Amino acid sequence: MNEKEYDKNSIKKIKGLIIGILVIILLVGGFLVFFEKIENGYVGVRYSMNGGVKDQTLSQGVKFVGLDKVTQYPIRLQTVKAEKLNLATEDGKATHVSITYAYKVDSKKVSDVFKEFGSINVEDIEANWLKAQLLKSSRAVVARYSLLDVTGSKSTEVQQSILEDFTKAVEPKGFLVEDVAFGVPDVDAETQKSIDEIIKAGQEKEKALLEADTAKTKADSLAYQKVKAAEAEAEANKKLSESITEELIKLKEVEARLEHGWVEVQTGEAIVDTNK
Protein backbone atom coordinates (compact mmCIF):
# COMPACT_ATOMS: atom_id res chain seq x y z
CA MET A 1 0.00 0.00 0.00
CA ASN A 2 1.47 3.32 -1.06
CA GLU A 3 1.41 6.52 0.93
CA LYS A 4 -1.60 8.03 -0.90
CA GLU A 5 -3.79 4.98 -0.32
CA TYR A 6 -2.79 4.96 3.36
CA ASP A 7 -3.81 8.60 3.72
CA LYS A 8 -7.18 7.93 2.09
CA ASN A 9 -7.92 5.05 4.43
CA SER A 10 -6.97 7.13 7.43
CA ILE A 11 -9.26 9.93 6.28
CA LYS A 12 -12.13 7.45 5.81
CA LYS A 13 -11.63 6.05 9.31
CA ILE A 14 -11.59 9.50 10.81
CA LYS A 15 -14.75 10.46 8.92
CA GLY A 16 -16.45 7.25 10.05
CA LEU A 17 -15.47 7.92 13.64
CA ILE A 18 -16.80 11.49 13.46
CA ILE A 19 -20.05 10.31 11.90
CA GLY A 20 -20.42 7.66 14.61
CA ILE A 21 -19.88 10.24 17.34
CA LEU A 22 -22.42 12.57 15.73
CA VAL A 23 -24.96 9.75 15.53
CA ILE A 24 -24.46 8.96 19.22
CA ILE A 25 -24.82 12.64 20.12
CA LEU A 26 -28.00 12.89 18.05
CA LEU A 27 -29.42 9.76 19.67
CA VAL A 28 -28.61 10.97 23.19
CA GLY A 29 -29.91 14.43 22.42
CA GLY A 30 -33.05 12.98 20.90
CA PHE A 31 -33.58 10.83 23.97
CA LEU A 32 -33.20 13.82 26.27
CA VAL A 33 -35.53 15.91 24.14
CA PHE A 34 -38.22 13.39 23.28
CA PHE A 35 -38.27 11.29 26.45
CA GLU A 36 -38.96 12.16 30.09
CA LYS A 37 -38.11 10.10 33.18
CA ILE A 38 -40.88 10.26 35.80
CA GLU A 39 -39.38 9.70 39.23
CA ASN A 40 -40.65 7.06 41.65
CA GLY A 41 -43.54 8.44 43.71
CA TYR A 42 -44.28 11.22 41.21
CA VAL A 43 -46.65 11.73 38.30
CA GLY A 44 -46.09 14.00 35.34
CA VAL A 45 -48.37 16.50 33.65
CA ARG A 46 -47.67 16.78 29.93
CA TYR A 47 -48.29 20.03 28.13
CA SER A 48 -47.32 21.79 24.91
CA MET A 49 -46.90 25.44 24.05
CA ASN A 50 -49.80 25.41 21.61
CA GLY A 51 -51.96 22.48 22.65
CA GLY A 52 -52.30 23.11 26.38
CA VAL A 53 -52.43 20.46 29.12
CA LYS A 54 -52.90 16.78 28.40
CA ASP A 55 -55.46 15.43 30.89
CA GLN A 56 -53.80 12.02 30.99
CA THR A 57 -50.98 12.04 33.55
CA LEU A 58 -47.70 10.15 33.20
CA SER A 59 -46.81 7.46 35.73
CA GLN A 60 -43.28 6.66 36.87
CA GLY A 61 -40.77 5.42 34.32
CA VAL A 62 -39.32 6.69 31.01
CA LYS A 63 -42.02 8.12 28.76
CA PHE A 64 -41.97 9.40 25.18
CA VAL A 65 -43.27 12.99 25.17
CA GLY A 66 -42.01 14.32 21.85
CA LEU A 67 -41.59 18.07 22.00
CA ASP A 68 -44.03 18.45 24.91
CA LYS A 69 -42.93 19.63 28.33
CA VAL A 70 -43.53 17.79 31.61
CA THR A 71 -43.96 19.04 35.19
CA GLN A 72 -43.78 16.43 37.95
CA TYR A 73 -45.74 16.36 41.22
CA PRO A 74 -45.29 14.05 44.24
CA ILE A 75 -48.12 11.64 45.03
CA ARG A 76 -46.00 10.05 47.77
CA LEU A 77 -45.64 11.82 51.12
CA GLN A 78 -43.04 14.58 51.16
CA THR A 79 -41.64 16.13 54.34
CA VAL A 80 -41.09 19.87 54.33
CA LYS A 81 -39.68 22.06 57.11
CA ALA A 82 -40.67 25.72 57.28
CA GLU A 83 -37.95 27.46 59.27
CA LYS A 84 -38.62 30.05 61.99
CA LEU A 85 -42.13 31.27 61.24
CA ASN A 86 -42.83 34.60 62.94
CA LEU A 87 -45.86 34.12 65.23
CA ALA A 88 -47.52 36.10 68.03
CA THR A 89 -49.48 34.67 70.97
CA GLU A 90 -52.70 35.87 72.58
CA ASP A 91 -50.76 37.70 75.30
CA GLY A 92 -48.72 39.62 72.73
CA LYS A 93 -45.52 37.57 72.91
CA ALA A 94 -43.57 37.31 69.64
CA THR A 95 -41.89 34.01 68.90
CA HIS A 96 -40.28 32.07 66.06
CA VAL A 97 -41.26 28.46 65.46
CA SER A 98 -40.09 25.90 62.90
CA ILE A 99 -42.93 23.70 61.67
CA THR A 100 -42.51 20.44 59.76
CA TYR A 101 -45.36 18.99 57.71
CA ALA A 102 -45.95 15.96 55.48
CA TYR A 103 -48.00 16.34 52.31
CA LYS A 104 -48.62 14.93 48.86
CA VAL A 105 -50.53 15.98 45.75
CA ASP A 106 -53.95 14.42 45.26
CA SER A 107 -53.45 12.07 42.30
CA LYS A 108 -56.97 12.91 41.08
CA LYS A 109 -56.22 16.64 40.97
CA VAL A 110 -52.75 16.72 39.42
CA SER A 111 -53.99 18.41 36.24
CA ASP A 112 -55.90 20.96 38.32
CA VAL A 113 -52.73 21.74 40.27
CA PHE A 114 -50.91 22.44 37.01
CA LYS A 115 -53.74 24.62 35.72
CA GLU A 116 -53.62 26.59 38.99
CA PHE A 117 -49.85 27.02 39.29
CA GLY A 118 -48.62 26.50 35.75
CA SER A 119 -45.20 25.04 35.06
CA ILE A 120 -43.80 26.13 38.45
CA ASN A 121 -41.95 23.19 39.97
CA VAL A 122 -43.15 21.71 43.24
CA GLU A 123 -40.17 22.98 45.24
CA ASP A 124 -41.13 26.56 44.39
CA ILE A 125 -44.75 25.85 45.38
CA GLU A 126 -43.51 24.53 48.73
CA ALA A 127 -41.28 27.54 49.31
CA ASN A 128 -43.94 30.09 48.40
CA TRP A 129 -47.65 29.24 48.29
CA LEU A 130 -47.65 26.31 50.71
CA LYS A 131 -45.41 28.17 53.16
CA ALA A 132 -47.69 31.22 52.99
CA GLN A 133 -50.74 29.08 53.78
CA LEU A 134 -48.93 27.39 56.67
CA LEU A 135 -47.89 30.77 58.07
CA LYS A 136 -51.45 32.09 57.80
CA SER A 137 -52.92 29.03 59.57
CA SER A 138 -50.24 29.03 62.28
CA ARG A 139 -50.73 32.72 63.06
CA ALA A 140 -54.50 32.30 63.30
CA VAL A 141 -54.18 29.36 65.70
CA VAL A 142 -51.34 30.60 67.92
CA ALA A 143 -53.10 33.95 68.38
CA ARG A 144 -55.79 32.10 70.36
CA TYR A 145 -53.34 30.82 73.01
CA SER A 146 -50.96 32.31 75.56
CA LEU A 147 -47.23 31.71 75.22
CA LEU A 148 -47.32 29.43 78.26
CA ASP A 149 -50.05 27.33 76.61
CA VAL A 150 -48.09 27.14 73.35
CA THR A 151 -44.89 26.07 75.08
CA GLY A 152 -46.47 23.81 77.67
CA SER A 153 -49.75 22.12 78.51
CA LYS A 154 -51.60 22.90 75.28
CA SER A 155 -48.83 22.46 72.73
CA THR A 156 -50.41 19.27 71.38
CA GLU A 157 -53.76 21.02 71.03
CA VAL A 158 -52.07 23.89 69.17
CA GLN A 159 -50.37 21.44 66.82
CA GLN A 160 -53.64 19.64 66.06
CA SER A 161 -55.43 22.93 65.38
CA ILE A 162 -52.72 24.03 62.94
CA LEU A 163 -52.98 20.68 61.13
CA GLU A 164 -56.75 21.04 60.75
CA ASP A 165 -56.61 24.68 59.63
CA PHE A 166 -53.72 24.13 57.19
CA THR A 167 -55.40 21.06 55.70
CA LYS A 168 -58.63 22.98 55.04
CA ALA A 169 -56.66 25.78 53.37
CA VAL A 170 -54.70 23.68 50.86
CA GLU A 171 -56.89 20.64 50.18
CA PRO A 172 -59.20 22.40 47.69
CA LYS A 173 -56.14 23.15 45.53
CA GLY A 174 -55.12 19.48 45.43
CA PHE A 175 -52.66 19.22 48.33
CA LEU A 176 -53.22 16.60 51.04
CA VAL A 177 -51.58 17.27 54.42
CA GLU A 178 -51.28 14.28 56.75
CA ASP A 179 -49.12 15.51 59.63
CA VAL A 180 -47.78 18.67 61.26
CA ALA A 181 -45.00 18.83 63.85
CA PHE A 182 -44.90 22.05 65.88
CA GLY A 183 -41.37 22.90 67.01
CA VAL A 184 -40.20 24.49 70.26
CA PRO A 185 -40.96 28.25 70.23
CA ASP A 186 -37.89 30.47 70.23
CA VAL A 187 -38.27 33.29 72.79
CA ASP A 188 -35.95 35.88 74.34
CA ALA A 189 -33.99 35.09 77.51
CA GLU A 190 -36.23 37.16 79.81
CA THR A 191 -39.41 35.49 78.56
CA GLN A 192 -37.82 32.05 78.85
CA LYS A 193 -36.83 32.83 82.45
CA SER A 194 -40.44 33.78 83.27
CA ILE A 195 -41.72 30.58 81.65
CA ASP A 196 -39.22 28.47 83.63
CA GLU A 197 -40.30 30.14 86.90
CA ILE A 198 -43.98 29.52 86.15
CA ILE A 199 -43.29 25.90 85.28
CA LYS A 200 -41.22 25.46 88.45
CA ALA A 201 -43.98 26.99 90.59
CA GLY A 202 -46.49 24.67 88.97
CA GLN A 203 -44.27 21.67 89.65
CA GLU A 204 -43.86 22.68 93.31
CA LYS A 205 -47.62 23.11 93.63
CA GLU A 206 -48.20 19.68 92.13
CA LYS A 207 -45.64 18.23 94.55
CA ALA A 208 -47.32 19.88 97.54
CA LEU A 209 -50.73 18.65 96.44
CA LEU A 210 -49.36 15.15 95.99
CA GLU A 211 -47.78 15.17 99.45
CA ALA A 212 -50.97 16.48 101.03
CA ASP A 213 -53.01 13.86 99.23
CA THR A 214 -50.59 11.14 100.38
CA ALA A 215 -50.81 12.33 104.00
CA LYS A 216 -54.61 12.41 103.82
CA THR A 217 -54.64 8.93 102.36
CA LYS A 218 -52.48 7.62 105.22
CA ALA A 219 -54.68 9.35 107.83
CA ASP A 220 -57.81 7.99 106.23
CA SER A 221 -56.25 4.54 106.20
CA LEU A 222 -55.39 4.66 109.94
CA ALA A 223 -58.84 5.98 110.80
CA TYR A 224 -60.43 3.26 108.71
CA GLN A 225 -58.35 0.59 110.46
CA LYS A 226 -59.41 1.92 113.90
CA VAL A 227 -63.06 1.99 112.89
CA LYS A 228 -62.90 -1.54 111.54
CA ALA A 229 -61.12 -2.74 114.72
CA ALA A 230 -63.78 -1.10 116.93
CA GLU A 231 -66.53 -2.59 114.80
CA ALA A 232 -64.92 -6.02 115.06
CA GLU A 233 -64.62 -5.73 118.86
CA ALA A 234 -68.22 -4.57 119.20
CA GLU A 235 -69.40 -7.41 117.01
CA ALA A 236 -67.46 -9.92 119.11
CA ASN A 237 -68.91 -8.54 122.36
CA LYS A 238 -72.38 -8.66 120.86
CA LYS A 239 -71.97 -12.28 119.86
CA LEU A 240 -70.56 -13.12 123.31
CA SER A 241 -73.48 -11.40 125.04
CA GLU A 242 -76.00 -13.19 122.84
CA SER A 243 -74.35 -16.52 123.58
CA ILE A 244 -74.76 -16.21 127.43
CA THR A 245 -78.15 -17.84 128.28
CA GLU A 246 -79.78 -19.23 131.48
CA GLU A 247 -78.96 -22.71 130.36
CA LEU A 248 -75.31 -21.76 129.87
CA ILE A 249 -75.16 -20.21 133.37
CA LYS A 250 -76.65 -23.32 134.98
CA LEU A 251 -74.29 -25.49 133.01
CA LYS A 252 -71.31 -23.48 134.28
CA GLU A 253 -72.59 -23.84 137.88
CA VAL A 254 -72.81 -27.60 137.49
CA GLU A 255 -69.32 -27.74 136.01
CA ALA A 256 -67.98 -25.65 138.94
CA ARG A 257 -69.67 -27.90 141.54
CA LEU A 258 -68.23 -30.97 139.91
CA GLU A 259 -64.79 -29.46 139.74
CA HIS A 260 -64.65 -27.90 143.25
CA GLY A 261 -67.12 -30.11 145.15
CA TRP A 262 -68.86 -27.26 146.99
CA VAL A 263 -71.19 -24.34 146.59
CA GLU A 264 -71.25 -21.35 148.92
CA VAL A 265 -74.60 -19.97 150.11
CA GLN A 266 -74.73 -16.52 151.67
CA THR A 267 -77.01 -16.24 154.78
CA GLY A 268 -77.52 -13.60 157.39
CA GLU A 269 -75.16 -15.19 160.00
CA ALA A 270 -72.53 -17.14 158.23
CA ILE A 271 -71.42 -18.91 155.10
CA VAL A 272 -72.76 -22.48 154.98
CA ASP A 273 -71.05 -25.23 153.02
CA THR A 274 -73.98 -27.37 151.76
CA ASN A 275 -71.73 -30.37 151.07
CA LYS A 276 -70.72 -30.94 154.70
Side-chain angles (χ1 to χ4, degrees):
M1 180 182 295
N2 57 38
E3 186 176 346
K4 290 183 179 180
E5 290 178 345
Y6 178 80
D7 290 340
K8 288 181 180 180
N9 289 333
S10 298
I11 292 172
K12 287 181 179 180
K13 289 180 180 180
I14 293 173
K15 286 182 177 179
L17 180 62
I18 293 173
I19 292 172
I21 293 173
L22 290 175
V23 170
I24 292 173
I25 291 174
L26 289 173
L27 289 174
V28 173
F31 180 84
L32 294 176
V33 171
F34 299 120
F35 290 85
E36 180 80 14
K37 181 182 179 182
I38 309 301
E39 300 295 336
N40 183 32
Y42 282 71
V43 294
V45 176
R46 181 179 174 184
Y47 61 96
S48 62
M49 299 303 294
N50 56 0
V53 181
K54 305 290 193 302
D55 289 332
Q56 185 176 5
T57 58
L58 303 175
S59 59
Q60 68 182 49
V62 178
K63 307 294 180 181
F64 176 80
V65 297
L67 295 176
D68 291 345
K69 303 295 183 182
V70 175
T71 296
Q72 299 188 39
Y73 297 104
I75 56 172
R76 182 179 60 187
L77 280 180
Q78 306 293 306
T79 300
V80 180
K81 186 175 184 179
E83 298 281 358
K84 295 185 176 181
L85 300 179
N86 186 15
L87 309 177
T89 59
E90 183 184 34
D91 47 357
K93 299 293 185 180
T95 181
H96 294 88
V97 182
S98 295
I99 299 178
T100 303
Y101 65 93
Y103 88 98
K104 62 183 177 180
V105 175
D106 187 345
S107 59
K108 298 178 182 178
K109 295 183 178 181
V110 173
S111 297
D112 295 333
V113 172
F114 180 85
K115 291 174 184 177
E116 179 72 28
F117 296 95
S119 58
I120 299 174
N121 62 51
V122 72
E123 288 80 11
D124 289 336
I125 296 175
E126 292 170 358
N128 294 283
W129 187 79
L130 282 173
K131 184 176 181 179
Q133 298 306 311
L134 177 63
L135 178 60
K136 181 180 178 181
S137 297
S138 301
R139 284 177 172 173
V141 171
V142 171
R144 302 198 296 264
Y145 295 87
S146 69
L147 182 59
L148 188 61
D149 288 337
V150 172
T151 57
S153 60
K154 294 187 178 180
S155 59
T156 302
E157 182 179 323
V158 170
Q159 179 174 288
Q160 181 63 29
S161 296
I162 292 175
L163 172 60
E164 293 173 357
D165 198 285
F166 184 39
T167 299
K168 290 179 182 178
V170 302
E171 188 173 0
K173 299 295 185 181
F175 298 90
L176 304 177
V177 180
E178 294 195 10
D179 186 41
V180 166
F182 190 79
V184 178
D186 182 18
V187 297
D188 58 80
E190 184 178 350
T191 302
Q192 186 62 54
K193 182 179 179 181
S194 299
I195 293 173
D196 292 341
E197 289 175 351
I198 292 173
I199 293 174
K200 182 179 179 182
Q203 291 173 339
E204 290 177 349
K205 180 180 178 181
E206 288 294 329
K207 181 181 178 182
L209 290 174
L210 179 61
E211 290 175 348
D213 186 59
T214 301
K216 183 178 182 301
T217 301
K218 289 182 178 178
D220 290 344
S221 177
L222 291 174
Y224 177 78
Q225 291 175 21
K226 290 180 179 179
V227 170
K228 296 306 290 184
E231 289 178 351
E233 184 178 359
E235 182 66 21
N237 291 335
K238 180 182 177 183
K239 290 182 177 180
L240 179 60
S241 176
E242 291 175 349
S243 67
I244 300 176
T245 61
E246 285 294 330
E247 289 78 8
L248 180 60
I249 294 173
K250 291 179 179 180
L251 177 60
K252 292 299 181 182
E253 289 176 351
V254 172
E255 290 175 349
R257 186 179 294 117
L258 292 173
E259 181 179 355
H260 301 290
W262 57 272
V263 177
E264 292 182 346
V265 178
Q266 182 73 44
T267 65
E269 295 297 332
I271 297 174
V272 179
D273 185 349
T274 59
N275 289 324
K276 290 182 179 181

